PDB file of all heavy atoms in Angstrom:
ATOM      1  N   ARG A  34     -19.213  17.617  19.168  1.00 97.00           N
ATOM      2  CA  ARG A  34     -20.077  17.749  17.995  1.00 97.00           C
ATOM      3  C   ARG A  34     -20.637  16.407  17.566  1.00 97.00           C
ATOM      4  O   ARG A  34     -21.814  16.288  17.220  1.00 97.00           O
ATOM      5  CB  ARG A  34     -19.304  18.397  16.840  1.00 97.00           C
ATOM      6  CG  ARG A  34     -19.056  19.849  17.094  1.00 97.00           C
ATOM      7  CD  ARG A  34     -18.219  20.465  15.983  1.00 97.00           C
ATOM      8  NE  ARG A  34     -18.096  21.899  16.190  1.00 97.00           N
ATOM      9  CZ  ARG A  34     -17.262  22.657  15.584  1.00 97.00           C
ATOM     10  NH1 ARG A  34     -16.440  22.163  14.668  1.00 97.00           N
ATOM     11  NH2 ARG A  34     -17.201  23.947  15.818  1.00 97.00           N
ATOM     12  N   LYS A  35     -19.816  15.389  17.570  1.00 98.00           N
ATOM     13  CA  LYS A  35     -20.269  14.030  17.203  1.00 98.00           C
ATOM     14  C   LYS A  35     -21.343  13.556  18.182  1.00 98.00           C
ATOM     15  O   LYS A  35     -22.363  13.005  17.767  1.00 98.00           O
ATOM     16  CB  LYS A  35     -19.120  13.059  17.188  1.00 98.00           C
ATOM     17  CG  LYS A  35     -19.520  11.616  16.985  1.00 98.00           C
ATOM     18  CD  LYS A  35     -18.779  11.002  15.875  1.00 98.00           C
ATOM     19  CE  LYS A  35     -19.170   9.574  15.600  1.00 98.00           C
ATOM     20  NZ  LYS A  35     -20.242   9.445  14.635  1.00 98.00           N
ATOM     21  N   TYR A  36     -21.103  13.794  19.453  1.00 97.00           N
ATOM     22  CA  TYR A  36     -22.064  13.378  20.487  1.00 97.00           C
ATOM     23  C   TYR A  36     -23.427  14.063  20.257  1.00 97.00           C
ATOM     24  O   TYR A  36     -24.462  13.397  20.241  1.00 97.00           O
ATOM     25  CB  TYR A  36     -21.509  13.701  21.870  1.00 97.00           C
ATOM     26  CG  TYR A  36     -22.473  13.354  22.981  1.00 97.00           C
ATOM     27  CD1 TYR A  36     -22.671  12.021  23.350  1.00 97.00           C
ATOM     28  CD2 TYR A  36     -23.196  14.319  23.643  1.00 97.00           C
ATOM     29  CE1 TYR A  36     -23.552  11.703  24.368  1.00 97.00           C
ATOM     30  CE2 TYR A  36     -24.073  14.014  24.658  1.00 97.00           C
ATOM     31  CZ  TYR A  36     -24.253  12.691  25.009  1.00 97.00           C
ATOM     32  OH  TYR A  36     -25.157  12.395  26.011  1.00 97.00           O
ATOM     33  N   VAL A  37     -23.373  15.368  20.068  1.00 97.00           N
ATOM     34  CA  VAL A  37     -24.628  16.124  19.863  1.00 97.00           C
ATOM     35  C   VAL A  37     -25.318  15.687  18.608  1.00 97.00           C
ATOM     36  O   VAL A  37     -26.534  15.487  18.564  1.00 97.00           O
ATOM     37  CB  VAL A  37     -24.342  17.653  19.859  1.00 97.00           C
ATOM     38  CG1 VAL A  37     -25.527  18.431  19.355  1.00 97.00           C
ATOM     39  CG2 VAL A  37     -23.923  18.116  21.239  1.00 97.00           C
ATOM     40  N   ARG A  38     -24.570  15.512  17.542  1.00 97.00           N
ATOM     41  CA  ARG A  38     -25.148  15.206  16.229  1.00 97.00           C
ATOM     42  C   ARG A  38     -25.679  13.788  16.155  1.00 97.00           C
ATOM     43  O   ARG A  38     -26.756  13.540  15.606  1.00 97.00           O
ATOM     44  CB  ARG A  38     -24.067  15.411  15.170  1.00 97.00           C
ATOM     45  CG  ARG A  38     -24.571  15.889  13.862  1.00 97.00           C
ATOM     46  CD  ARG A  38     -23.474  16.129  12.820  1.00 97.00           C
ATOM     47  NE  ARG A  38     -22.202  15.478  13.071  1.00 97.00           N
ATOM     48  CZ  ARG A  38     -21.071  16.110  13.360  1.00 97.00           C
ATOM     49  NH1 ARG A  38     -21.064  17.443  13.461  1.00 97.00           N
ATOM     50  NH2 ARG A  38     -19.945  15.467  13.554  1.00 97.00           N
ATOM     51  N   ASP A  39     -24.948  12.807  16.721  1.00 97.00           N
ATOM     52  CA  ASP A  39     -25.255  11.416  16.445  1.00 97.00           C
ATOM     53  C   ASP A  39     -25.689  10.560  17.623  1.00 97.00           C
ATOM     54  O   ASP A  39     -26.291   9.507  17.408  1.00 97.00           O
ATOM     55  CB  ASP A  39     -24.005  10.724  15.853  1.00 97.00           C
ATOM     56  CG  ASP A  39     -23.545  11.389  14.558  1.00 97.00           C
ATOM     57  OD1 ASP A  39     -24.365  12.016  13.877  1.00 97.00           O
ATOM     58  OD2 ASP A  39     -22.340  11.277  14.239  1.00 97.00           O
ATOM     59  N   ILE A  40     -25.431  10.981  18.839  1.00 97.00           N
ATOM     60  CA  ILE A  40     -25.611  10.069  19.990  1.00 97.00           C
ATOM     61  C   ILE A  40     -26.627  10.592  20.997  1.00 97.00           C
ATOM     62  O   ILE A  40     -27.441   9.819  21.510  1.00 97.00           O
ATOM     63  CB  ILE A  40     -24.268   9.820  20.686  1.00 97.00           C
ATOM     64  CG1 ILE A  40     -23.287   9.167  19.688  1.00 97.00           C
ATOM     65  CG2 ILE A  40     -24.429   8.936  21.911  1.00 97.00           C
ATOM     66  CD1 ILE A  40     -21.851   9.110  20.187  1.00 97.00           C
ATOM     67  N   ALA A  41     -26.623  11.873  21.297  1.00 97.00           N
ATOM     68  CA  ALA A  41     -27.383  12.444  22.400  1.00 97.00           C
ATOM     69  C   ALA A  41     -28.899  12.270  22.198  1.00 97.00           C
ATOM     70  O   ALA A  41     -29.417  12.397  21.087  1.00 97.00           O
ATOM     71  CB  ALA A  41     -27.074  13.920  22.545  1.00 97.00           C
ATOM     72  N   THR A  42     -29.586  12.010  23.315  1.00 97.00           N
ATOM     73  CA  THR A  42     -31.043  11.954  23.319  1.00 97.00           C
ATOM     74  C   THR A  42     -31.574  13.374  23.557  1.00 97.00           C
ATOM     75  O   THR A  42     -30.826  14.272  23.863  1.00 97.00           O
ATOM     76  CB  THR A  42     -31.530  11.015  24.432  1.00 97.00           C
ATOM     77  OG1 THR A  42     -31.166  11.604  25.710  1.00 97.00           O
ATOM     78  CG2 THR A  42     -30.959   9.640  24.322  1.00 97.00           C
ATOM     79  N   ALA A  43     -32.890  13.515  23.470  1.00 98.00           N
ATOM     80  CA  ALA A  43     -33.524  14.808  23.713  1.00 98.00           C
ATOM     81  C   ALA A  43     -33.210  15.291  25.142  1.00 98.00           C
ATOM     82  O   ALA A  43     -32.915  16.458  25.355  1.00 98.00           O
ATOM     83  CB  ALA A  43     -35.019  14.744  23.499  1.00 98.00           C
ATOM     84  N   ASP A  44     -33.263  14.374  26.112  1.00 98.00           N
ATOM     85  CA  ASP A  44     -32.940  14.742  27.497  1.00 98.00           C
ATOM     86  C   ASP A  44     -31.486  15.180  27.625  1.00 98.00           C
ATOM     87  O   ASP A  44     -31.189  16.152  28.355  1.00 98.00           O
ATOM     88  CB  ASP A  44     -33.219  13.558  28.450  1.00 98.00           C
ATOM     89  CG  ASP A  44     -34.715  13.305  28.625  1.00 98.00           C
ATOM     90  OD1 ASP A  44     -35.521  14.234  28.381  1.00 98.00           O
ATOM     91  OD2 ASP A  44     -35.059  12.186  29.018  1.00 98.00           O
ATOM     92  N   ASP A  45     -30.590  14.475  26.965  1.00 98.00           N
ATOM     93  CA  ASP A  45     -29.182  14.844  26.985  1.00 98.00           C
ATOM     94  C   ASP A  45     -29.001  16.258  26.439  1.00 98.00           C
ATOM     95  O   ASP A  45     -28.256  17.071  26.974  1.00 98.00           O
ATOM     96  CB  ASP A  45     -28.329  13.872  26.162  1.00 98.00           C
ATOM     97  CG  ASP A  45     -28.263  12.486  26.743  1.00 98.00           C
ATOM     98  OD1 ASP A  45     -28.451  12.329  27.970  1.00 98.00           O
ATOM     99  OD2 ASP A  45     -28.032  11.540  25.945  1.00 98.00           O
ATOM    100  N   LEU A  46     -29.667  16.541  25.323  1.00 98.00           N
ATOM    101  CA  LEU A  46     -29.537  17.862  24.694  1.00 98.00           C
ATOM    102  C   LEU A  46     -30.087  18.950  25.580  1.00 98.00           C
ATOM    103  O   LEU A  46     -29.506  20.067  25.640  1.00 98.00           O
ATOM    104  CB  LEU A  46     -30.209  17.855  23.321  1.00 98.00           C
ATOM    105  CG  LEU A  46     -29.550  16.962  22.276  1.00 98.00           C
ATOM    106  CD1 LEU A  46     -30.401  16.926  21.008  1.00 98.00           C
ATOM    107  CD2 LEU A  46     -28.150  17.416  21.958  1.00 98.00           C
ATOM    108  N   LYS A  47     -31.165  18.694  26.271  1.00 98.00           N
ATOM    109  CA  LYS A  47     -31.733  19.688  27.207  1.00 98.00           C
ATOM    110  C   LYS A  47     -30.721  19.956  28.329  1.00 98.00           C
ATOM    111  O   LYS A  47     -30.513  21.112  28.708  1.00 98.00           O
ATOM    112  CB  LYS A  47     -33.055  19.207  27.787  1.00 98.00           C
ATOM    113  CG  LYS A  47     -34.201  19.226  26.766  1.00 98.00           C
ATOM    114  CD  LYS A  47     -35.452  18.652  27.363  1.00 98.00           C
ATOM    115  CE  LYS A  47     -36.509  18.497  26.284  1.00 98.00           C
ATOM    116  NZ  LYS A  47     -37.713  17.804  26.767  1.00 98.00           N
ATOM    117  N   GLU A  48     -30.147  18.895  28.868  1.00 98.00           N
ATOM    118  CA  GLU A  48     -29.170  19.067  29.942  1.00 98.00           C
ATOM    119  C   GLU A  48     -27.948  19.860  29.454  1.00 98.00           C
ATOM    120  O   GLU A  48     -27.474  20.762  30.132  1.00 98.00           O
ATOM    121  CB  GLU A  48     -28.729  17.697  30.472  1.00 98.00           C
ATOM    122  CG  GLU A  48     -27.726  17.791  31.592  1.00 98.00           C
ATOM    123  CD  GLU A  48     -27.264  16.426  32.092  1.00 98.00           C
ATOM    124  OE1 GLU A  48     -27.732  15.403  31.558  1.00 98.00           O
ATOM    125  OE2 GLU A  48     -26.433  16.397  33.008  1.00 98.00           O
ATOM    126  N   LEU A  49     -27.475  19.513  28.274  1.00 97.00           N
ATOM    127  CA  LEU A  49     -26.339  20.246  27.702  1.00 97.00           C
ATOM    128  C   LEU A  49     -26.661  21.707  27.472  1.00 97.00           C
ATOM    129  O   LEU A  49     -25.840  22.584  27.725  1.00 97.00           O
ATOM    130  CB  LEU A  49     -25.879  19.596  26.401  1.00 97.00           C
ATOM    131  CG  LEU A  49     -25.134  18.266  26.532  1.00 97.00           C
ATOM    132  CD1 LEU A  49     -24.979  17.609  25.167  1.00 97.00           C
ATOM    133  CD2 LEU A  49     -23.801  18.459  27.181  1.00 97.00           C
ATOM    134  N   SER A  50     -27.870  21.960  27.006  1.00 97.00           N
ATOM    135  CA  SER A  50     -28.298  23.328  26.758  1.00 97.00           C
ATOM    136  C   SER A  50     -28.271  24.139  28.062  1.00 97.00           C
ATOM    137  O   SER A  50     -27.802  25.287  28.081  1.00 97.00           O
ATOM    138  CB  SER A  50     -29.710  23.339  26.177  1.00 97.00           C
ATOM    139  OG  SER A  50     -30.162  24.628  25.987  1.00 97.00           O
ATOM    140  N   GLU A  51     -28.738  23.553  29.148  1.00 98.00           N
ATOM    141  CA  GLU A  51     -28.695  24.220  30.452  1.00 98.00           C
ATOM    142  C   GLU A  51     -27.241  24.453  30.900  1.00 98.00           C
ATOM    143  O   GLU A  51     -26.918  25.534  31.406  1.00 98.00           O
ATOM    144  CB  GLU A  51     -29.435  23.400  31.495  1.00 98.00           C
ATOM    145  CG  GLU A  51     -30.944  23.342  31.268  1.00 98.00           C
ATOM    146  CD  GLU A  51     -31.646  22.336  32.173  1.00 98.00           C
ATOM    147  OE1 GLU A  51     -31.003  21.778  33.088  1.00 98.00           O
ATOM    148  OE2 GLU A  51     -32.842  22.085  31.941  1.00 98.00           O
ATOM    149  N   MET A  52     -26.391  23.472  30.706  1.00 97.00           N
ATOM    150  CA  MET A  52     -24.992  23.605  31.094  1.00 97.00           C
ATOM    151  C   MET A  52     -24.317  24.709  30.276  1.00 97.00           C
ATOM    152  O   MET A  52     -23.537  25.485  30.801  1.00 97.00           O
ATOM    153  CB  MET A  52     -24.262  22.283  30.875  1.00 97.00           C
ATOM    154  CG  MET A  52     -24.688  21.183  31.842  1.00 97.00           C
ATOM    155  SD  MET A  52     -23.996  19.576  31.422  1.00 97.00           S
ATOM    156  CE  MET A  52     -22.264  19.848  31.762  1.00 97.00           C
ATOM    157  N   ILE A  53     -24.654  24.772  29.000  1.00 97.00           N
ATOM    158  CA  ILE A  53     -24.078  25.799  28.137  1.00 97.00           C
ATOM    159  C   ILE A  53     -24.522  27.180  28.596  1.00 97.00           C
ATOM    160  O   ILE A  53     -23.708  28.129  28.646  1.00 97.00           O
ATOM    161  CB  ILE A  53     -24.436  25.542  26.655  1.00 97.00           C
ATOM    162  CG1 ILE A  53     -23.706  24.312  26.157  1.00 97.00           C
ATOM    163  CG2 ILE A  53     -24.142  26.759  25.796  1.00 97.00           C
ATOM    164  CD1 ILE A  53     -24.185  23.778  24.836  1.00 97.00           C
ATOM    165  N   GLN A  54     -25.789  27.314  28.926  1.00 98.00           N
ATOM    166  CA  GLN A  54     -26.306  28.612  29.363  1.00 98.00           C
ATOM    167  C   GLN A  54     -25.626  29.071  30.672  1.00 98.00           C
ATOM    168  O   GLN A  54     -25.242  30.219  30.813  1.00 98.00           O
ATOM    169  CB  GLN A  54     -27.809  28.582  29.554  1.00 98.00           C
ATOM    170  CG  GLN A  54     -28.424  29.928  29.787  1.00 98.00           C
ATOM    171  CD  GLN A  54     -28.088  30.923  28.666  1.00 98.00           C
ATOM    172  OE1 GLN A  54     -28.340  30.637  27.498  1.00 98.00           O
ATOM    173  NE2 GLN A  54     -27.520  32.047  29.016  1.00 98.00           N
ATOM    174  N   VAL A  55     -25.444  28.145  31.605  1.00 98.00           N
ATOM    175  CA  VAL A  55     -24.735  28.475  32.846  1.00 98.00           C
ATOM    176  C   VAL A  55     -23.320  28.916  32.558  1.00 98.00           C
ATOM    177  O   VAL A  55     -22.837  29.943  33.085  1.00 98.00           O
ATOM    178  CB  VAL A  55     -24.749  27.242  33.815  1.00 98.00           C
ATOM    179  CG1 VAL A  55     -23.772  27.445  34.959  1.00 98.00           C
ATOM    180  CG2 VAL A  55     -26.156  26.975  34.324  1.00 98.00           C
TER     181      VAL A  55
END
Side-chain angles (χ1 to χ4, degrees):
R34 288 177 175 167
K35 173 128 181 91
Y36 178 75
V37 167
R38 213 178 19 248
D39 301 335
I40 300 169
T42 65
D44 289 338
D45 293 334
L46 293 174
K47 288 176 188 174
E48 181 181 0
L49 286 170
S50 177
E51 291 171 8
M52 292 171 68
I53 290 168
Q54 190 56 54
V55 167

